[in-house]
């Protein structure tokens, strides 16, 4: 078993990828990006692929196919990528040094702290606490007066 119960992802061809024609796929890609990223729906821990499909007035198979083909990952990894990106910004912000990991996890849209740690580790290859310590250590070293 690996750290944080992260299993290696199997490199299998995505199912349903041929269901959507290329023009529709391109249009849906833009719509998915707008809804999930620009509107920051990824921060809503209850926003699912099913809800995204409803918002796009399509089905989850089409949404899955587009995310797999156009973004190269599944829905969970897609939203977690942006959640982790936001968490990194928060962890680097000196004004947020007193925030607990649970608070950060909630702010960026994770349902629980374990999911946050696992996704963060998968993307950054380091746990969030260790990332924060590294950031604070580097900041303290930069603030030290030079002899």
């Amino acid at each position: 078993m690996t750290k944080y119960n992260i299993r290696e992802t199997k490199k299998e061809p995505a199912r349903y990828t041929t269901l959507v024609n290329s023009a529709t796929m391109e249009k849906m890609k833009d719509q998915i990006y707008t809804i999930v990223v620009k509107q920051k729906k990824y921060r809503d821990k209850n926003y699912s692929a099913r809800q995204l499909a409803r918002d796009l007035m399509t089905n989850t198979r089409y949404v899955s196919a587009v995310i797999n083909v156009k973004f190269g990952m599944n829905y969970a990894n897609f939203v977690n990528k942006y959640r982790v990106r936001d968490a990194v910004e928060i962890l680097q912000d000196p004004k947020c040094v007193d925030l607990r990991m649970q608070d950060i996890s909630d702010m960026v849209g994770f349902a629980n702290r374990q999911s946050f740690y696992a996704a963060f580790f998968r993307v950054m290859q380091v746990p969030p606490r260790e990332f924060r310590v590294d950031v604070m250590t580097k900041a303290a070293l930069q603030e030290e007066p030079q002899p």
Side-chain angles (χ1 to χ4, degrees):
M1 182 154 55
T2 61
K3 194 168 191 168
Y4 302 111
N5 287 333
I6 297 173
R7 288 177 259 126
E8 290 297 316
T9 54
K10 297 176 185 173
K11 299 292 181 191
E12 296 176 10
R15 296 180 186 168
Y16 317 118
T17 56
T18 58
L19 288 176
V20 186
N21 70 47
S22 61
T24 303
M25 193 171 281
E26 197 59 40
K27 180 180 174 189
M28 284 180 68
K29 174 189 145 207
D30 294 340
Q31 291 171 330
I32 289 168
Y33 186 83
T34 297
I35 292 169
V36 175
V37 180
K38 289 185 177 178
Q39 294 177 12
K40 298 188 184 228
K41 293 286 188 178
Y42 63 87
R43 286 189 175 179
D44 179 352
K45 60 185 82 179
N46 297 313
Y47 196 76
S48 63
R50 178 174 281 141
Q51 183 59 50
L52 176 58
R54 277 190 217 123
D55 290 348
L56 294 171
M57 293 182 278
T58 188
N59 63 57
T60 56
R61 287 183 179 185
Y62 281 22
V63 168
S64 258
V66 173
I67 292 173
N68 273 284
V69 171
K70 293 298 185 177
F71 297 102
M73 60 190 82
N74 65 28
Y75 177 80
N77 289 339
F78 179 66
V79 295
N80 286 345
K81 172 183 160 183
Y82 293 100
R83 291 171 176 167
V84 169
R85 184 194 67 187
D86 284 3
V88 165
E89 289 178 19
I90 293 167
L91 290 167
Q92 291 176 330
D93 187 344
K95 294 179 233 162
C96 299
V97 72
D98 293 330
L99 287 176
R100 298 175 311 137
M101 289 297 156
Q102 182 64 50
D103 298 332
I104 295 168
S105 171
D106 290 340
M107 288 169 64
V108 299
F110 285 99
N112 58 60
R113 195 177 61 178
Q114 178 63 29
S115 296
F116 170 54
Y117 270 73
F120 195 96
F121 189 83
R122 186 178 289 118
V123 172
M124 301 300 293
Q125 302 299 307
V126 63
R129 285 194 195 284
E130 191 175 318
F131 180 85
R132 176 185 260 172
V133 169
D134 289 348
V135 166
M136 291 184 337
T137 301
K138 288 175 186 171
L141 290 174
Q142 290 177 348
E143 291 177 7
E144 285 184 10
Q146 299 297 322

